[in-house]
Amino acid sequence: MRSTNSEGRYLSPGVDQSLKVVVLGPFGVGKTTLVRAVSEIRPTSTEERMTKAGEAVDTLQGLSDKTTTTVALDFGRLTLTDDLVLYLFGGPGQTRFSFMIDELMQGALGGVVLVDTARITESWDAMERMEEAGLPYAVAVNTFAASPRYGEAELRRALDLDPSTPLVECDVRYRESAKTVLIALVSHLLSRLSLEPAS
Ligand SMILES: Nc1nc2c(ncn2[C@@H]2O[C@H](COP(=O)(O)OP(=O)(O)OP(=O)(O)O)[C@@H](O)[C@H]2O)c(=O)[nH]1
Ligand SMILES: [Mg+2]
C-alpha cells in the first residue's frame, strides 16, 4: 500500500477527494512562488529566463530580483486535510501567454486571484475570467513591502468584490501564509455547497 513518505511524494491512503485549483493574477504577482511554497511534491514549473528583447513588454517595476517568467503553468499538490488533496495550477501572467489560461481552467473547481496593491486593476482580468467561467474564487493580496496598504472595505471597493468572495492577505513566500489562502478558498467552496438545494 502506498503511503506518505518523508518527502510527501505519495498521497495519504485516506485521501478520497481532490480539487483542481487555478492560481491567476498579473505578471510577477507571486503565482509561481505560491505554488512552490505550498507544494508537497517537487513543483513543476515552466519558467523561462526573461531576455533583453523582452524588456519592453516584461515590466519589472518593483521586481528587480525576478529573472524568469512562467510561459505555460506551475503545478503542485497540497494535502489539506486527511481526506482532501488540492491540485494547484498556476497560470502565466503575461498577456501574450493568456491563451493558456482557458486550458488551465478546464475542470477546475475553484480559483485564487492574486493582487499586488500597487497595481490593483491588473488583477481585474483574472477576476473576470473566473467569473466568466462561473468559477468560485478567493482573492489574495500578496503583501509586497513597497506596495500601499489598504483596509478591507477599501480593497473590496477597489476590486468591486462580491461580499461573499473571500479576501485575504498573505505573503506567498511562506508556506503557512500561502496555505491560509487555500483554506479560505476551500471554506468558501464548502459554504457554497451547503447553500445549494439538495437534489
Ligand atoms: N517582497 C516580496 N517579494 C515577493 C513576494 N512574493 C514574490 N516575491 C518575489 O516577486 C517575484 C515574483 O514572483 P513569481 O512567483 O515569479 O511571480 P509570477 O506571478 O509567477 O510571475 P509570472 O509567472 O512571470 O507572471 C519573485 O522574484 C519573488 O521572489 C512577496 O510577497 N514579497
Ligand atoms: Mg509564474
Side-chain angles (χ1 to χ4, degrees):
M1 180 170 54
R2 296 191 314 174
S3 62
T4 307
N5 69 3
S6 58
E7 292 170 6
R9 195 150 23 118
Y10 300 123
L11 272 183
S12 285
V15 171
D16 60 4
Q17 295 182 69
S18 61
L19 268 181
K20 176 177 174 179
V21 172
V22 284
V23 181
L24 301 182
F27 173 62
V29 75
K31 303 173 294 293
T32 300
T33 309
L34 182 148
V35 173
R36 286 187 176 166
V38 298
S39 185
E40 63 210 8
I41 52 171
R42 188 181 304 154
T44 306
S45 297
T46 55
E47 294 294 284
E48 291 294 339
R49 286 194 76 76
M50 290 182 290
T51 59
K52 205 79 188 140
E55 264 179 14
V57 277
D58 300 340
T59 323
L60 281 167
Q61 274 169 335
L63 295 169
S64 51
D65 60 343
K66 185 167 164 66
T67 56
T68 64
T69 189
T70 306
V71 294
L73 61 100
D74 308 298
F75 174 70
R77 190 191 79 199
L78 172 66
T79 306
L80 202 59
T81 61
D82 290 345
D83 58 357
L84 174 67
V85 66
L86 304 185
Y87 290 102
L88 302 167
F89 290 76
Q94 299 186 55
T95 44
R96 67 181 184 277
F97 301 125
S98 79
F99 61 90
M100 273 299 302
I101 291 176
D102 293 329
E103 298 289 328
L104 278 186
M105 291 176 93
Q106 296 286 329
L109 291 177
V112 169
V113 173
L114 284 175
V115 173
D116 174 358
T117 51
R119 45 194 179 110
I120 289 176
T121 55
E122 291 185 21
S123 292
W124 285 351
D125 180 60
M127 291 168 59
E128 259 169 42
R129 281 185 176 234
M130 298 283 186
E131 277 157 31
E132 277 165 19
L135 202 60
Y137 62 96
V139 173
V141 170
N142 186 19
T143 50
F144 288 87
S147 296
R149 306 299 281 264
Y150 299 108
E152 176 168 351
E154 226 175 336
L155 272 173
R156 284 192 171 274
R157 246 193 327 273
L159 288 160
D160 195 18
L161 266 195
D162 187 282
S164 69
T165 302
L167 173 66
V168 288
E169 275 197 355
C170 64
D171 185 329
V172 294
R173 293 168 298 175
Y174 302 104
R175 181 179 163 81
E176 287 310 314
S177 180
K179 256 175 91 170
T180 61
V181 178
L182 298 164
I183 291 167
L185 172 65
V186 170
S187 306
H188 180 50
L189 297 178
L190 291 175
S191 68
R192 282 171 54 106
L193 273 180
S194 68
L195 291 176
E196 272 176 17
S199 53

